[in-house]
Amino acid sequence: MSDDLNHVLRARRDKLDALAARGIAPFAYGFDRSHHAAECVPLLGDAEEGAVVRLAGRLVALRAHGKTTFAHLGDPSGRVQLYFKKDVLGEDGWALCDLLDLGDVIGVQGPLFRTRTGEVTVRVEQLELLAKSLRPLPFGKEETVDGKVVRHSGFADGEQRSRQRYADLAVHPEVRALFVARTRMNTAVRGFLDGLGYLEVETPVLQPLYGGAAAKPFVTHHNALDMPLFLRIADELYLKRLVVGGFDRVYEIGHDFRNEGIDRTHNPEFTMLEFYEAYADYTAMMARVEALMITAATAVRDVLSAAGLATDAPAFDPAVLQGPFARMEWLPSLSSALHVPDVTALSDAELRAAAEKIGVHGVGSLSRPKLMDELFQFHVESKIDRPTFVVDYPKELSPLAKPKRGNPELTERFELFARGKEMANAFSELNDPIDQRQRFEAQARLKAAGDEEASGVDEDYLRAMEYGMPPMGGVGIGMDRLFMYLTGTAHIRDVILFPTMRPE
RNA sequence: GACCCGGUAGCUCAGUCGGUAGAGCAUGCGGCUUUUAACCGCCAGGUCGUGGGUUCGAUCCCCACCCGGGUCACCA
């Protein structure tokens, strides 16, 4: 295997030697471009011969014909055909052309013209090698059938595509477009929040206490302070401290870290958006979420449409995202799914039996709210397809949310579900430090009893709240999952440039 | 963690009902001055995931392990 690879690599190294013998530097310092590939077609227009252009990019197709060679040059804008002819290039230029490989980065200069088959092409008069490719990229062959690009024998191994994202991107323009769409989505969301007067901030990734969610943390150690530090599992508690400080509307987009399993919807580090707005309650935040979803979908659709990647994903169907989204109350929807008048009237034994029936383990050690949550996830959440707000969760499941007006056993909390997955989680944020301390202490008891995901008491956060925390609404949105939903992507690793993987 | 599927040439895959393997593309050489999955000819390239077992003989059968994918479980 390695022998053969060496054989392939050897051939490219030999070309380096041949280039050196001709005094050609294989790795350049720069190149002045006049245009991008996609500009060539409009630039030539209906003419047969056109202006001289200077383009740079990667050789993505190469067809040698003796004393002429056809190739395609790819750059971020697209691709354009190149025509090399010995007579035009001269002895030295042709010698270099002869040593080109698929994957080389080159710069060319020459006039545009139209070939016999009508394709807009650069007649290369000057050729510069900008970076010799010493390792073959796994290009597939492409043909166009009925206007659609069909790729043969390409780079298909999902694991290798994730590991070598640089190669995946280099040979798959549609993957580049997908990640451009992801960045545009973030940009659009920032614009949306900025436009509402939100301030983007940066809070600590390394935290002496972790909180704001239920998850196992990554633990590290600071040498100089000789103390443990945790990678954050959520931004929540720091952002709300800032609202105490007088920043009425704040948000952060950053990575959270959870030391749990990896599967198609979980990566140990993932991108979280959290935003907090003083004097708003959770109903106001629902409207924010609806508008944000439309903003994000529009940005994604614009990029993918321009790249010719129109799909049937939600981003392309405004009707799916047209608000207001459906509302569903937690307790009544669970009662309805279980075909009982009132789930809270069921005995502990009946709840445990129902949970056991759907395969929940260790039902004996779970509290009533936890049992109901299991039932809810199985019977309700997983069946929600169109975007739907589930509202008013039990208090025990929501230690940072305010009690619901009129029913203190519930909290003013909503989660947004779509296609069976959680997209957002939000509350009317608890701002009563006395109540918050009791909730923390209840969590601490769970933690002491062995619940690894329960939080402890965060005294500094309580101190901040005691200074007076304005009422506020807060929302957390998993950006990876939002983007997966909008693009119809099945695996989180396909929306993360460098997903966490076992070392090779 | 359980179960199912897979790991063969650089890439995409086929195959051997057990006798140490093939194709296309890519690479190398030769030919070709408007091609586009270019084409034509030739050459080379693999200890068939790892370790053990059965066997005269294993890439194929058995066991274990490693890696990947899927389903389920877990995951406020």
Side-chain angles (χ1 to χ4, degrees), chain A residues 54-323:
Chain A
R54 287 174 62 83
L55 305 173
R58 193 183 291 280
L59 275 176
V60 297
L62 195 58
R63 298 178 294 280
H65 295 72
K67 295 182 180 63
T68 68
T69 291
F70 284 91
H72 277 88
L73 184 76
D75 72 14
S77 73
R79 47 153 63 190
V80 66
Q81 183 166 256
L82 306 178
Y83 179 55
F84 300 93
K85 192 175 182 184
K86 188 175 182 182
D87 300 345
V88 173
L89 278 168
E91 199 64 39
D92 287 343
W94 184 249
L96 172 53
C97 181
D98 219 27
L99 291 167
L100 290 178
D101 285 300
L102 206 57
D104 285 351
V105 180
I106 62 170
V108 298
Q109 174 179 312
L112 294 173
F113 76 107
R114 194 177 304 280
T115 64
R116 201 157 62 193
T117 58
E119 181 162 351
V120 175
T121 302
V122 180
R123 181 183 290 110
V124 178
E125 293 175 344
Q126 287 179 35
L127 167 65
E128 287 183 41
L129 182 58
L130 304 179
K132 184 67 190 164
S133 170
L134 294 178
R135 183 180 293 272
L137 278 165
F139 281 107
K141 294 241 169 181
E142 289 179 4
E143 65 175 328
T144 304
V145 180
D146 300 332
K148 287 192 167 185
V149 174
V150 178
R151 194 174 289 126
H152 302 270
S153 303
F155 190 30
D157 184 322
E159 182 191 352
Q160 293 309 319
R161 289 176 59 180
S162 295
R163 284 191 190 285
Q164 301 186 39
R165 186 68 79 195
Y166 36 87
D168 186 32
L169 291 164
V171 304
H172 293 139
E174 70 277 17
V175 176
R176 291 201 296 270
L178 187 76
F179 283 104
V180 170
R182 194 175 161 157
T183 293
R184 297 284 182 261
M185 178 182 81
N186 285 1
T187 303
V189 166
R190 285 192 165 98
F192 169 77
L193 292 170
D194 291 346
L196 290 169
Y198 277 80
L199 185 71
E200 183 174 11
V201 296
E202 296 174 88
T203 64
V205 172
L206 289 173
Q207 305 182 347
L209 289 173
Y210 59 97
K216 295 172 197 160
F218 285 91
V219 187
T220 186
H221 184 267
H222 190 274
N223 290 339
L225 296 176
D226 189 22
M227 62 177 281
L229 284 170
F230 303 95
L231 274 65
R232 68 179 174 200
I233 59 172
D235 308 355
E236 174 150 358
L237 299 180
Y238 281 96
L239 289 171
K240 289 196 282 194
R241 283 172 169 95
L242 293 176
V243 178
V244 170
F247 292 134
D248 275 359
R249 297 183 176 191
V250 292
Y251 74 97
E252 179 163 14
I253 295 178
H255 279 199
D256 287 347
F257 306 83
R258 298 186 181 177
N259 204 342
E260 292 166 353
I262 297 175
D263 63 29
R264 66 189 183 290
T265 56
H266 295 84
N267 195 65
E269 63 179 303
F270 59 98
T271 304
M272 181 70 95
L273 161 68
E274 291 192 30
F275 56 101
Y276 294 84
E277 179 171 330
Y279 315 115
D281 69 5
Y282 75 146
T283 56
M285 300 316 272
M286 284 187 217
R288 296 284 189 234
V289 170
E290 286 167 344
L292 185 148
M293 292 279 283
I294 296 283
T295 299
T298 303
V300 169
R301 189 201 314 140
D302 287 351
V303 174
L304 297 187
S305 297
L309 296 175
T311 72
D312 57 356
F316 289 90
D317 186 355
V320 171
L321 294 167
Q322 203 50 250

Side-chain angles (χ1 to χ4, degrees), chain A residues 18-34:
Chain A
L19 290 165
R22 289 190 157 268
I24 299 169
F27 301 102
Y29 287 85
F31 185 81
D32 289 325
R33 290 188 278 188
S34 68

Side-chain angles (χ1 to χ4, degrees), chain A residues 329-345 376 380:
Chain A
E329 287 180 83
W330 201 86
L331 276 174
S333 61
L334 179 57
S335 297
S336 169
L338 293 175
H339 308 293
V340 298
D342 179 5
V343 67
T344 61
F376 189 84
V380 185

Side-chain angles (χ1 to χ4, degrees), chain A residues 205-494:
Chain A
V205 172
L206 289 173
Q207 305 182 347
L209 289 173
Y210 59 97
K216 295 172 197 160
F218 285 91
V219 187
T220 186
H221 184 267
H222 190 274
N223 290 339
L225 296 176
D226 189 22
M227 62 177 281
L229 284 170
F230 303 95
L231 274 65
R232 68 179 174 200
I233 59 172
D235 308 355
E236 174 150 358
L237 299 180
Y238 281 96
L239 289 171
K240 289 196 282 194
R241 283 172 169 95
L242 293 176
V243 178
V244 170
F247 292 134
D248 275 359
R249 297 183 176 191
V250 292
Y251 74 97
E252 179 163 14
I253 295 178
H255 279 199
D256 287 347
F257 306 83
R258 298 186 181 177
N259 204 342
E260 292 166 353
I262 297 175
D263 63 29
R264 66 189 183 290
T265 56
H266 295 84
N267 195 65
E269 63 179 303
F270 59 98
T271 304
M272 181 70 95
L273 161 68
E274 291 192 30
F275 56 101
Y276 294 84
E277 179 171 330
Y279 315 115
D281 69 5
Y282 75 146
T283 56
M285 300 316 272
M286 284 187 217
R288 296 284 189 234
V289 170
E290 286 167 344
L292 185 148
M293 292 279 283
I294 296 283
T295 299
T298 303
V300 169
R301 189 201 314 140
D302 287 351
V303 174
L304 297 187
S305 297
L309 296 175
T311 72
D312 57 356
F316 289 90
D317 186 355
V320 171
L321 294 167
Q322 203 50 250
F325 298 158
R327 264 78 163 164
M328 182 185 282
E329 287 180 83
W330 201 86
L331 276 174
S333 61
L334 179 57
S335 297
S336 169
L338 293 175
H339 308 293
V340 298
D342 179 5
V343 67
T344 61
L346 294 179
S347 69
D348 290 3
E350 286 173 316
L351 278 179
R352 280 198 289 270
E356 224 155 21
K357 205 166 102 184
I358 59 169
V360 176
H361 298 300
V363 294
S365 65
L366 294 179
S367 64
R368 288 179 62 88
K370 292 266 189 189
L371 283 170
M372 287 193 276
D373 190 43
E374 295 285 352
L375 291 166
F376 189 84
Q377 287 180 28
F378 183 87
H379 290 290
V380 185
E381 275 185 20
S382 62
K383 298 188 170 106
I384 296 173
D385 186 46
R386 289 171 79 97
T388 300
F389 289 122
V390 174
V391 305
D392 300 344
Y393 282 65
K395 189 172 170 183
E396 184 189 312
L397 300 176
S398 316
L400 298 166
K402 279 183 86 73
K404 180 172 173 59
R405 283 162 275 196
N407 186 349
E409 290 310 302
L410 300 179
T411 54
E412 296 198 355
R413 172 182 178 185
F414 72 82
E415 293 198 321
L416 175 66
F417 289 91
R419 202 179 283 173
K421 297 291 177 198
E422 178 187 337
M423 296 284 134
N425 181 22
F427 336 122
S428 294
E429 302 291 342
L430 181 57
N431 64 337
D432 173 348
I434 309 294
D435 189 354
Q436 184 67 74
R437 180 174 292 280
Q438 289 169 358
R439 307 272 196 106
F440 273 156
E441 285 169 352
Q443 286 288 305
R445 283 192 295 276
L446 289 175
K447 189 176 187 176
D451 184 343
E452 288 185 82
E453 296 189 336
S455 55
V457 179
D458 188 333
E459 290 290 349
D460 180 72
Y461 178 67
L462 287 169
R463 176 169 60 192
M465 200 181 273
E466 285 166 2
Y467 281 123
M469 176 181 282
M472 74 178 101
V475 177
I477 295 179
M479 298 295 273
D480 311 87
R481 289 195 184 171
L482 172 60
F483 187 68
M484 287 168 69
Y485 173 69
L486 293 176
T487 56
T489 305
H491 296 77
I492 196 168
R493 70 164 193 215
D494 293 334

